[in-house]
Amino acid sequence: MALHFHVDEIRELIQKGDYTGLSKMLKDSHPVDIAELFGELEPQEYLNVFKHLEFSTARDVLEELDQEKITFILTNIKPKYAALLIREMSSDEVADYLGMLPEGARQNFLHLLKQQDQKDIRALLSYPETSAGGRMTTDFIAFPKDMNAQEALNKLAELAPDAEMIYYVYVVDHEGKLIGVLSLRDLVLSAPDTTLDRIMYTDVKKVLASQDQEEVTRLMEKYGFLALPVVDEEGVLLGIITVDDVMDVVEEEATEDILKMAGTEEEIDPEKSSPWYRARRRLPWILVALFGEIVSGNVIKNFSEALQALVALSFFIPLLMDMGGDVGTQSAAIVVRGLATGEIEPWDIWKNLLREIRVGVVLGIINGAIVGSIAYIWQGMPALGLVVGISMVLNLTIAAFLGTFMPLMWNKLGRDPAVTSGPFVTTLLDIIGLFVYFSTARWILKL
Amino acid sequence: MALHFHVDEIRELIQKGDYTGLSKMLKDSHPVDIAELFGELEPQEYLNVFKHLEFSTARDVLEELDQEKITFILTNIKPKYAALLIREMSSDEVADYLGMLPEGARQNFLHLLKQQDQKDIRALLSYPETSAGGRMTTDFIAFPKDMNAQEALNKLAELAPDAEMIYYVYVVDHEGKLIGVLSLRDLVLSAPDTTLDRIMYTDVKKVLASQDQEEVTRLMEKYGFLALPVVDEEGVLLGIITVDDVMDVVEEEATEDILKMAGTEEEIDPEKSSPWYRARRRLPWILVALFGEIVSGNVIKNFSEALQALVALSFFIPLLMDMGGDVGTQSAAIVVRGLATGEIEPWDIWKNLLREIRVGVVLGIINGAIVGSIAYIWQGMPALGLVVGISMVLNLTIAAFLGTFMPLMWNKLGRDPAVTSGPFVTTLLDIIGLFVYFSTARWILKL
């Protein structure tokens, strides 16, 4: 990712104290680019740059920085300016920042805010981070239903600088209950004296503050909204969630799924944390695999006489283990992703199982035939070919079954289906697969 | 997912011919909900419902339907009405629909459009589906730079019903080149007589029509835009991509990555396709695993004397194979996802390799110590414990290395890193891991 600025040039301007040149250079730059620049500078350097930003740019840049940089800046500028900046930041960004601070520091910052803002932020902090309430901002626009279009447009122009999303206007009754929604487009297109209740849509899609962010994502994607209102149990409008926040959620959820399926919750950030820390994040599932495979070893041990009698049996262990694992992982990935995107209905357990088992049988027959023939030709033993072939059919069918069943069941129990599907399924399949293989061998080869 | 309507009620109204009741029921419903309802109805039923929708609702519903239903509806309503609907649909939806039709049918539909619209659609159809050009719509708003804010607002109100996104206004020069952007918010907040070039942002983030949709997603997420302009090589504004389309892309790309990492490109849609079709989509990587594991089997065969001398060696094959595979998959998942989200810089191959190798060594030492002790206690042979422990350290280190290296290298070669990381990495690791294990055994146990 190429940086938007030449860091050296900026640094030179700072050292020269040429803040006019700097302002000129940063003028018209996107706050995200300025925040990215800060990542390349020393604290004292970005502090100097920050002090010379225009107020509204400074506020926008602050919203894009990480906790550490925000704290460094806010504690090194005049307290009055810091208070002003925090007051003007959008409430969800302030809450996110404060949520990461220790209790004492949080209270100090909260006292810089107005009474109403303090109340808003405290409310936001009370919801779990991944709930609709935790994701929402309280900087929305709501009007009474008897306001007319012209009044609404005027009021909107007045509120625009502070609101997070001016393109949707929510309509509330005298108790603050959400009763309608209209877009700025609808307002612009209406006769000036039409009251809002005549142009608003009453079929408002909304979420409860306590609902999970996944429901938010689902509704936003389905309807293509730019924002979604969040209400309490009584239907009172509490806040909105905007589409840019939801897009981050979609990415995060997908990443989380991928990492969980691979049996790790290690963070991706390449800058952070020691190998010890990273290893610890990956260890739990590795240990599950370790103890599971001790059981696998025990299965082989129980058949060690057969193995001693025909050492060629061992040549096919990797084949059966690996292919079973692959088919199981495929099925699990399809189910986990299907559940996440809503393509697979969680209650259709039997339908999904049946479909995957049929795929498993087909894959088993194809591969069993190939592998059985290879085993026969390679070792010159038709019976061994039969053993390997039959085991392959059984194993791939079981693999498709377990790969589908585990995440569906886990989901039904209200847990995240992604966690079961990686190391857990493959390890379980190894144990079952080896048992099936050696039992088949003992039965057909009479070992 | 609960349906928004009671299908039975709707059906009853259709059978009674009570279209007033039906209109009342569907009035104020979201087009997405009506489209979802159509999915539950018979063709003749939804055709009847469609005929009684208001024009603008009908057009919006059409944009949400699948190709089959669109075709059924358009060929069973009056051609003039069909033409009117197509003309008013947004250009990217029309292009998506036409792109799926056979050439003859496509030409017939194109002739229903005005000359300019035909040109637009043909242009859209000329870009690959997953490029910025293939994703964009031509229904954007662009004004000359010497227009003033009041004129722009008036013109906007006029264009609003047809434009895809009225909240961003693009500013172009006399050659149609993109020179600035401003939001509706900026317009509303400006003095009426300010010309656009005085309020526009000149640092416009944009993409080339030929760029991949991943670049579009990256920019939209980074900056939190509602739309992104698409230009040609000369900088001429061709279209825009809106955030709701990008959100679909994010989901699709994540799904694609997950499925590829699991070694399948099977579609998730549970309705479609037979087990034979599904099995075929999953077979390629399974076959790679099959032939890879024949090699694994050969490695064991080459050491079969050692195995015959100490059958207990075989008890640890599943352990070494599975744990190596798990660590490799973890590393690969972290790299693949890191590349996709931009957290990992593709040129930092050495830095990433070094980091993962260190994690691999840590995991190897921890697990090697555990597994070595277990092997010693279980089999009562200190030397066997040493063999298993040392092999585990080596295997997990190699696994972390290969799991990181393969996707990074694949990415550098301009290929999708996700495809190498599933079955390919685990199969390769099995071959190497078994060789390391038996070599260590021969060396230490002198077998």
Side-chain angles (χ1 to χ4, degrees), chain B residues 427-443:
Chain B
T427 304
L428 192 60
L429 281 174
D430 285 348
I431 298 172
I432 299 174
L434 287 167
F435 184 78
V436 168
Y437 175 48
F438 282 107
S439 302
T440 311
R442 187 178 274 174
W443 166 55

Side-chain angles (χ1 to χ4, degrees), chain B residues 258-332:
Chain B
I258 290 179
L259 294 187
K260 277 190 187 152
M261 284 174 63
T264 175
E265 295 186 26
E266 183 181 338
E267 277 159 53
I268 284 171
D269 187 341
E271 306 303 330
K272 271 185 206 141
S273 63
S274 68
W276 293 99
Y277 172 81
R278 290 179 162 264
R280 213 170 53 217
R281 306 284 303 197
R282 289 163 68 161
L283 205 52
W285 281 112
I286 301 279
L287 289 177
V288 168
L290 193 155
F291 289 100
E293 297 300 346
I294 300 283
V295 179
S296 294
N298 234 323
V299 170
I300 301 182
K301 185 167 187 269
N302 288 333
F303 289 94
S304 52
E305 278 171 43
L307 198 57
Q308 203 109 42
L310 185 63
V311 81
L313 276 178
S314 68
F315 306 164
F316 300 95
I317 292 177
L319 190 65
L320 286 159
M321 276 179 58
D322 187 42
M323 290 180 68
D326 283 349
V327 170
T329 306
Q330 288 179 337
S331 294

Side-chain angles (χ1 to χ4, degrees), chain A residues 28 33 36 160 163 167 185 202 205 221-223 251 255 263 282 293 322 330-331 337 341 356 427, chain B residues 28 33 36 160 163 167 185 202 205 221-223 251 255 263 282 293 322 330-331 337 341 356 427:
Chain A
D28 214 34
D33 292 321
E36 201 172 60
Y167 307 127
R185 184 193 296 232
T202 53
K205 312 292 172 192
E221 281 179 354
K222 182 170 173 187
Y223 296 103
E251 279 269 352
T255 300
R282 290 162 67 162
E293 296 302 344
D322 187 44
Q330 288 178 337
S331 295
R337 197 58 198 161
T341 59
E356 282 298 314
T427 304
Chain B
D28 213 34
D33 292 320
E36 201 173 61
Y167 307 127
R185 183 195 295 233
T202 54
K205 312 291 172 191
E221 280 181 353
K222 183 170 172 187
Y223 295 103
E251 279 268 351
T255 300
R282 289 163 68 161
E293 297 300 346
D322 187 42
Q330 288 179 337
S331 294
R337 197 58 197 161
T341 59
E356 282 299 313
T427 304

Side-chain angles (χ1 to χ4, degrees), chain B residues 90-270:
Chain B
S90 80
S91 61
D92 56 338
E93 301 289 346
V94 176
D96 284 352
Y97 169 63
L98 293 181
M100 286 184 284
L101 289 184
E103 187 55 33
R106 188 185 306 164
Q107 293 307 329
N108 286 343
F109 273 112
L110 271 171
H111 287 159
L112 295 176
L113 298 173
K114 288 183 220 156
Q115 210 62 34
Q116 180 56 42
D117 290 343
Q118 280 194 35
K119 228 184 100 196
D120 283 354
I121 303 280
R122 276 186 222 276
L124 288 181
L125 285 170
S126 70
Y127 298 105
E129 210 191 318
T130 59
S131 69
R135 288 279 175 182
M136 73 186 181
T137 170
T138 52
D139 305 324
F140 57 87
I141 292 176
F143 291 147
K145 66 184 166 123
D146 49 4
M147 196 179 239
N148 73 35
Q150 187 55 53
E151 289 166 347
L153 279 172
N154 293 343
K155 190 79 187 157
L156 209 54
E158 196 181 298
L159 296 173
D162 274 338
E164 185 89 345
M165 164 62 63
I166 63 155
Y167 307 127
Y168 287 174
V169 171
Y170 298 96
V171 183
V172 291
D173 66 12
H174 61 282
E175 285 179 299
K177 285 184 189 164
L178 179 63
I179 55 170
V181 63
L182 56 149
S183 67
L184 182 48
R185 183 195 295 233
D186 301 323
L187 269 186
V188 169
L189 294 178
S190 298
D193 58 348
T194 327
T195 53
L196 300 188
D197 58 353
R198 301 205 36 205
I199 40 175
M200 72 187 186
Y201 295 86
T202 54
D203 173 29
V204 194
K205 312 291 172 191
K206 52 185 182 269
V207 284
L208 288 173
S210 55
Q211 279 183 289
D212 189 79
Q213 59 184 5
E214 277 198 37
E215 176 63 11
V216 178
T217 325
R218 203 185 62 75
L219 284 175
M220 291 274 240
E221 280 181 353
K222 183 170 172 187
Y223 295 103
F225 293 138
L226 301 178
L228 198 66
V230 182
V231 297
D232 67 12
E233 307 282 339
E234 269 81 48
V236 173
L237 183 59
L238 299 174
I240 58 167
I241 301 177
T242 53
V243 66
D244 53 317
D245 292 330
V246 169
M247 206 141 74
D248 296 341
V249 173
V250 174
E251 279 268 351
E252 278 170 32
E253 299 263 331
T255 300
E256 213 186 282
D257 271 6
I258 290 179
L259 294 187
K260 277 190 187 152
M261 284 174 63
T264 175
E265 295 186 26
E266 183 181 338
E267 277 159 53
I268 284 171
D269 187 341

Side-chain angles (χ1 to χ4, degrees), chain A residues 164-223:
Chain A
E164 184 89 343
M165 163 62 64
I166 64 156
Y167 307 127
Y168 287 175
V169 170
Y170 299 96
V171 183
V172 290
D173 66 12
H174 61 283
E175 285 177 300
K177 285 185 187 163
L178 179 65
I179 55 171
V181 64
L182 57 149
S183 66
L184 181 49
R185 184 193 296 232
D186 300 324
L187 270 186
V188 170
L189 294 177
S190 297
D193 60 346
T194 326
T195 52
L196 299 188
D197 58 352
R198 301 206 35 206
I199 39 177
M200 71 186 186
Y201 295 86
T202 53
D203 173 29
V204 194
K205 312 292 172 192
K206 52 184 181 271
V207 284
L208 288 173
S210 54
Q211 277 184 292
D212 190 79
Q213 59 184 6
E214 276 197 38
E215 176 63 12
V216 178
T217 325
R218 200 185 65 74
L219 284 175
M220 291 275 242
E221 281 179 354
K222 182 170 173 187
Y223 296 103

